[in-house]
Amino acid sequence: MKNIWSVWIFLLFLLSLILSTGALGADDADGMTLRIGTPNLVKSPSLVGDYYMGIFAHLSNPPLMRVAEDGTLEGQTAEMYEVSDDGKTWKFYIDDDLYWSDGTKVTPDDVKFTIEYYTANSVIGWLEDLLEEVSVTDDNAVVIELSEPYATLNQEFVTYNILPKHVWEDIDDPKEYTNKGEYVGCGPFYIKGTALEAGVLYFEKNPHWKGTQPNIDSVEVHMYSNMDVLSIALKRGDVDAYYKYGRGYPYANVRALEEDTFDFVVTDYTGLTFLGMNIRKEPLSDVSFREAISYAVDYDEIERIVALGYGGAANRGFVPRSMAYFKETEQLEYDSSNAKENLDDAGYVDSDGDGLREDLNGDDMELVLLIRSDDMDYQRIAELLKEYLGNVGIDVEIRMVERSTWFDLKDEYNYDMTVTGTTPWGMWMWANWGTGYFDSRRTGRGVLHTIDDPEFHALCDDIMSTTDEGQLEEYAHDVQDYYAENLPGIALYWGQYVTPYNDDWTGWSSDPIFGIYRLDTFLNVVKA
Amino acid sequence: MFIARKKAIRYVMAIFIIFSLNFAIPRAMPGDPVMNLLGEDVIVSESSVAEMRTKMGLDEPLYIQYLKYWSDIFHLDLGYSYHLHSEVSKVLFTKMKWTLLLVVPTIILGAVIGTPLGALAGWRRKDSNEKIMTMSFLFVYCTPPYFLSILFIYLFSFKIGWFPLKGFYTTGTPGDIVYHLFLPVTVMTLFAASRNYMIMRGSVIQEMQMLYATYARAKGLFGREILFRHIFKNASLPIITLVALDFGFIFSGALFVEIVFSMNGMGNLIYDAILARDYPVLQGSFLLITVMVVLANLLADILYGLLDPRVRWQG
Amino acid sequence: MKGAVCSRMGEIQRGASSLSKLGAALFMLFIIMAVFSGQIAPYDPWARFEPYSPPSREHILGTNDMGNDILSELICGSRVSIVVGFGAAIMAALIGVVIGLLAGYFRGPVDEIFMGATDVFLMIPTIPLIIILAAFMRPSFWILALIMGFLWWTTMARVVRSRALQIREMNFVESARSLGFSDFHIIFSDIFPNVYNVVLPKFMLTIASAMIAEASLSFLGLGDPSMKSWGMMINFAFSRGGFLNGYWWWYLPPGLCITFVTIQAP
């Protein structure tokens, strides 16, 4: 036995040694630091090439425009903008008081360079055919001329980080450029370094920032690859707040933080979880069948189980209340007898008495409900939907696939229904109001591109070519009516963005697109 | 050196077959091999697909592609990851360094702790202390690695608050790195040790049964200590080979431990590569791990030959 | 001589302490649970009650995020986990025993080829390979079990081979050969019954590894969602707030079940 104990004693000794040395290195913080914990992992220190690094860099290289707390657009690096009536000429007035972290002034040339540079290197691929010319004017502005009207250009410029020309003009391929050290930025903070092995992105106060002076000296974004550990980090105080782009804190975990010293920023969230219908394939191509499905779903229960009270019942108009020009369409209703009647009327009856309805030809039908494996909420929703549809006599097979396969299958229209979500930004893309998810002309990774109805296409074209506010409102209502009538997708609930933060800190602000990750937050937060 | 040559041929065969498999997988999967080799979200337009196909030589006949594949490997060129914006070999080199920091101490500690404890347990298997020890190692052995990792992190990092929650370091000083590595290495060592413990306990029991008759006859001539030493030596020789083969297992364990401890090593790299279908990285990682397992086995063979006179004599 | 071999193996078996008896008893218990899960489970595992309820008289282990009774899930989950375990082990045993027997009996070039193949398979990093295959092929849980078996026959083949090498030199095999029985007959009626002793422990070990692997794949989100396996239960408990909220009755029992059912293996 003796040698076993000596092993343990040796190990304990080692442990205490390590703890003493390790603890020494642990706190040597100088100045006030805000630590944000996120499950969004930066994979490579590439400002332009890495998706999440690009989002975090909104703090260091603020885009031209930004989203206000109420979801409207505001100027950021561009103080204001003008657009010609035909929607082809855009003029952005650049803030005259911005300086790069190396001391040089931010000029319209930098903005011109950024736009041309992104376009040439297919960072803004869609602009390539559209862009005629970018020019700089004497009144500190950039003028962008387009070959076709593009009424939502200002919206697009919420995401593209502005780069300093004098640094990037020598770099050939921005997407492939990586740098673990400093990136020159013009925001209140600039990227000081990226330590992927430590899982941290470091921001340092920009010494040449002339705007509102922040109360903190640095910002650290800590990345966690496991959600439970991230929550423990919050509880333990390793990080001060939580952030996940396009998705709040998991509702199921909120309870665990409520007992602690946590407060929550709760904002209406523009993204939503919906049931997408493959309207190119029978029987979902039949609008009366879709109508019946809309009555078969117990929305309250989905909201209760999946959103745990942090959601609201959705309307048939799909578009959530937090978007501009929201129209109050009819609320989605759960009424299974109505669903059954609808199905009977439309001819989907159970003629062979096996408890399951057959299609219009009298053949057995089993609908494929396609879901992605990377979201456990979708799995739970799919389980519920299978049961609801089973209750009205529709046989459903849940097919769970990994993300890439989901992209393939939905692009091939090889499914009947799918549970998926929209990102807040995605709701804006194309002709706004979620059109990007349905218009068959817009393809991409997360979108269903199922509608090829000329009426819908014309509506999208109209929206994209008008800059008149009154006109836009009218079109927006038309789009929502179109959704309500045709049900290409059913919003299962309208959720909320929940962001926990340690209540030692105050001064948070949040918008429906980026949540708390916005300049106002970093300029105003203060530790009590 | 007949045995050694035979072994060497097997290793070469192993590498050859696994590497060829690696060449075949992305080309055999459904879908366009360009997509399979690059990952899906890299390509934007049709024209660039064609461009990429030419650039990667995918429009050439298979045997030329195959020859080129081998020539690239000999030039240590494992391709380019468009997801990570880097040469695959460079990425692998950086990540591997860190994962080895996790794996090498685990293998050594696992062998150093597990083997003698297991031998003792086999030797005194009626002892109640040993029974408790066996029970605890058995428990670890039968628990999924990620489950134990999360329980450990909850207990030691959160409830007791001794250890950090993520990453390989904060400041980057050696002490800081060891501080971060301590808990994950402990978890993995427990797994490695439990395997060695079980195997060692089993072989000591077996050796004892075999030597029982001899021992009975020689009673009085040898002390129990000497006998134990004898049995221990006989039983521990196979451990060397087993430890080498365990290399692959411990690597896989590192995968789960790295995800729980948010460590940016090979494990997370492979996991991300799977989700993003980053085939160059997947292929590269697979190759690298294979090479390391083969090397570990080679090393084990050499060590074995040095330590066991019977093998040396035959050679 | 045949008898002598058996009796020595028996000695080792007997020597393997009361621990393994306990393990074996637990294992039998789980098998019974899996077979009669429909009868034993208090509720339908898909039936929904009040979500997130703590243990109570109606729900001994409480309910999960969907309101499913956790005890019923646990009992029904035993079936999936045990099928995965046995599927993998049977597949591994089939391949391993055949290759081991042939290599050990025929020796020479056959042995060379088969053992060479074993060495090659031993060096394949199996878990990463299984993860890759699981991610791309999305196999149902029993295909997954077969894939595991297909990769894990190597150690089985090795022990069977060395046993077969021993046995083929024994008198009763010699005499069978001199009586003119075919090789096939000798392998399967004389040698095969005697390798049982070395195959069984490896068989159990493969069951354990397969169950742990299934749970680990579920943790990575690569499990089969239509099946309530223990791995999926833990996965849901972690991803849907069970762990963080301290609902130990949700995540601990499936974890312990995996441990207890595999604990007989070594």
Side-chain angles (χ1 to χ4, degrees), chain A residues 226 228 231-232 235 249 252-253 255-256 301 305-306 308 373 376-377 379-380 383-384 387-388 400-402, chain C residues 46 48 51-52 64-66 135-136 138 219 221 223 225 232 235-236 238-241 243-245 247 250:
Chain A
N226 181 285
D228 286 303
S231 296
I232 289 174
K235 284 181 108 157
Y249 191 64
N253 287 357
R255 224 175 300 175
E301 191 177 44
I305 287 180
V306 180
L308 290 121
S373 59
M376 303 303 275
D377 288 356
Q379 288 184 38
R380 287 310 203 197
E383 273 175 40
L384 291 170
E387 189 186 309
Y388 299 148
M400 186 169 86
V401 295
E402 132 273 2
Chain C
W46 298 94
R48 292 201 311 279
Y52 295 109
N64 68 6
D65 59 318
M66 292 279 278
F136 292 132
R138 278 265 143 214
F219 170 69
M232 279 314 263
N235 191 22
F236 274 113
F238 280 135
S239 63
R240 302 269 298 143
F243 179 72
L244 203 68
N245 287 300
Y247 303 152
W250 187 5

Side-chain angles (χ1 to χ4, degrees), chain A residues 319-392:
Chain A
V319 176
R321 201 163 270 124
S322 55
M323 289 194 88
Y325 307 132
F326 167 77
K327 183 182 178 184
E328 192 73 62
T329 50
E330 207 182 314
Q331 200 175 15
L332 284 160
E333 187 195 341
Y334 169 50
D335 181 351
S336 56
S337 55
N338 195 348
K340 285 181 198 156
E341 262 168 48
N342 267 306
L343 286 168
D344 288 340
D345 293 348
Y348 301 91
V349 285
D350 175 19
S351 47
D352 58 7
D354 61 353
L356 298 169
R357 292 170 191 272
E358 284 87 53
D359 65 13
L360 294 178
N361 302 323
D363 298 326
D364 284 343
M365 64 176 174
E366 186 183 46
L367 302 185
V368 173
L369 178 57
L370 190 67
I371 50 165
R372 295 158 49 157
S373 59
D374 52 350
D375 192 309
M376 303 303 275
D377 288 356
Y378 295 168
Q379 288 184 38
R380 287 310 203 197
I381 293 174
E383 273 175 40
L384 291 170
L385 287 174
K386 182 181 162 76
E387 189 186 309
Y388 299 148
L389 294 176
N391 289 343
V392 297

Side-chain angles (χ1 to χ4, degrees), chain B residues 58-69:
Chain B
L58 285 168
D59 45 2
E60 301 199 49
L62 266 182
Y63 72 94
I64 293 189
Q65 289 183 40
Y66 186 63
L67 291 177
K68 204 178 156 298
Y69 169 78

Side-chain angles (χ1 to χ4, degrees), chain A residues 182-225:
Chain A
E182 247 175 70
Y183 276 103
V184 173
C186 59
F189 296 87
Y190 67 99
I191 297 172
K192 179 79 180 164
T194 315
L196 294 184
E197 279 75 30
V200 194
L201 188 60
Y202 295 97
F203 290 88
E204 206 49 58
K205 195 148 117 183
N206 175 359
H208 304 282
W209 171 257
K210 298 280 185 287
T212 318
Q213 286 302 308
N215 304 310
I216 46 178
D217 303 293
S218 53
V219 175
E220 291 174 10
V221 176
H222 288 256
M223 296 166 270
Y224 291 82
S225 47

Side-chain angles (χ1 to χ4, degrees), chain A residues 70-269:
Chain A
D70 62 1
T72 55
L73 280 176
E74 282 176 356
Q76 186 163 255
T77 296
E79 278 179 318
M80 52 178 279
Y81 67 92
E82 286 165 3
V83 56
S84 63
D85 288 340
D86 62 0
K88 285 182 174 179
T89 310
W90 290 78
K91 188 171 182 183
F92 292 93
Y93 293 91
I94 309 305
D95 187 339
D96 201 23
D97 215 15
L98 290 175
Y99 293 85
W100 296 106
S101 50
D102 60 3
T104 46
K105 194 170 178 337
V106 176
T107 63
D109 275 321
D110 288 317
V111 177
K112 171 178 152 63
F113 165 78
T114 303
I115 293 168
E116 287 174 340
Y117 188 56
Y118 280 164
T119 310
N121 288 293
S122 55
V123 179
I124 319 185
W126 50 268
L127 198 58
E128 218 169 319
D129 302 328
L130 224 58
L131 191 67
E132 296 262 284
E133 206 199 341
V134 187
S135 53
V136 172
T137 58
D138 293 338
D139 47 354
N140 211 40
V142 176
V143 177
I144 301 169
E145 312 239 19
L146 304 173
S147 56
E148 306 261 340
Y150 199 94
T152 52
L153 191 73
N154 51 350
Q155 219 163 272
E156 302 279 3
F157 281 141
V158 162
T159 56
Y160 297 108
N161 301 318
I162 303 299
L163 304 175
K165 183 183 177 190
H166 57 281
V167 176
W168 287 82
E169 60 190 346
D170 302 325
I171 296 165
D172 284 335
D173 192 346
K175 277 189 185 167
E176 305 305 324
Y177 176 75
T178 57
N179 172 13
K180 281 188 201 167
E182 247 175 70
Y183 276 103
V184 173
C186 59
F189 296 87
Y190 67 99
I191 297 172
K192 179 79 180 164
T194 315
L196 294 184
E197 279 75 30
V200 194
L201 188 60
Y202 295 97
F203 290 88
E204 206 49 58
K205 195 148 117 183
N206 175 359
H208 304 282
W209 171 257
K210 298 280 185 287
T212 318
Q213 286 302 308
N215 304 310
I216 46 178
D217 303 293
S218 53
V219 175
E220 291 174 10
V221 176
H222 288 256
M223 296 166 270
Y224 291 82
S225 47
N226 181 285
M227 194 56 219
D228 286 303
V229 177
L230 171 49
S231 296
I232 289 174
L234 277 165
K235 284 181 108 157
R236 198 173 97 155
D238 283 13
V239 288
D240 305 307
Y242 170 89
Y243 179 71
K244 181 178 183 185
Y245 171 65
R247 200 72 180 268
Y249 191 64
Y251 300 130
N253 287 357
V254 168
R255 224 175 300 175
L257 290 186
E258 272 172 345
E259 314 159 353
D260 271 289
T261 53
F262 280 90
D263 278 341
F264 299 85
V265 183
V266 180
T267 325
D268 273 342
Y269 170 62

Side-chain angles (χ1 to χ4, degrees), chain B residues 275-296:
Chain B
L275 290 185
R277 291 206 182 175
D278 192 348
Y279 280 91
V281 168
L282 263 185
Q283 286 193 301
S285 322
F286 205 67
L287 289 190
L288 190 59
I289 294 177
T290 309
V291 170
M292 302 202 76
V293 173
V294 171
L295 281 181

